[in-house]
Amino acid sequence: MLAVEFDVARVDLIFAQSAEGPEERITLPIAPFRFYLPGVGLDVPVRIARLEPVAVGFVRQIRLVVDQVRALDASESQDVFTPSGAQTGLKVVPRGEDGGFPVRSAETTRILVEFNADEQLRSNRGVGLILPPTIDGDLLPTPTAYDHLEPAEVV
């Protein structure tokens, strides 16, 4: 598998002002976009958007609501079914962060999503390829070892 292509209709944040506080959904003010993730063992940062600061608090999920997901290789493209992808989205959830990814005043919150298509895509007879709707994300300290990588940016 060379890559997975995502057509994202919108990006929602599930946000809380405190680690134990009630959640609200914030839809980010960005246009639909497409991005690619490499298929095997390569971490590529994808900067979803530059935004005015969201309130200080915790992002419990980043939801990429997708119109379509495709697996690409050298000779063909295959549709990938993502359960709830068009409704609640492909969810990036914090691994080991109590309350969510922290959003602090005057700081950039940086999240690394490790995506390996060969491990994360599942084949199901009768359905085809399936991408489970949840992917773990890790909070990155600032600065990071990934600072030398140029992100694929959608503004």
Side-chain angles (χ1 to χ4, degrees), residues 12-119:
D12 294 336
L13 302 179
I14 303 303
F15 181 81
Q17 291 186 353
S18 68
E20 298 83 28
E23 296 178 346
E24 64 179 298
R25 185 186 76 180
I26 299 171
T27 298
L28 300 182
I30 59 177
F33 62 94
R34 174 178 291 165
F35 74 96
Y36 300 82
L37 289 177
V40 181
L42 178 64
D43 299 327
V44 175
V46 176
R47 183 177 297 144
I48 299 298
R50 279 190 200 156
L51 303 169
E52 292 302 314
V54 175
V56 171
F58 295 87
V59 173
R60 297 206 176 132
Q61 292 181 357
I62 301 168
R63 294 183 175 180
L64 302 173
V65 179
V66 293
D67 285 331
Q68 189 170 25
V69 178
R70 286 173 297 286
L72 310 171
D73 68 19
S75 61
E76 66 179 346
S77 132
Q78 182 177 355
D79 286 340
V80 175
F81 175 65
T82 304
S84 71
Q87 293 80 32
T88 57
L90 178 64
K91 297 152 198 80
V92 177
V93 296
R95 179 181 12 222
E97 293 296 324
D98 292 335
F101 300 116
V103 177
R104 297 181 181 97
S105 180
E107 288 187 20
T108 299
T109 299
R110 305 177 79 161
I111 300 162
L112 176 69
V113 176
E114 294 178 339
F115 185 83
N116 184 321
D118 289 336
E119 291 177 7

Side-chain angles (χ1 to χ4, degrees), residues 118-132:
D118 289 336
E119 291 177 7
Q120 292 185 264
L121 292 176
R122 310 227 187 334
S123 183
N124 182 302
R125 199 174 4 203
V127 176
L129 291 177
I130 297 175
L131 176 63

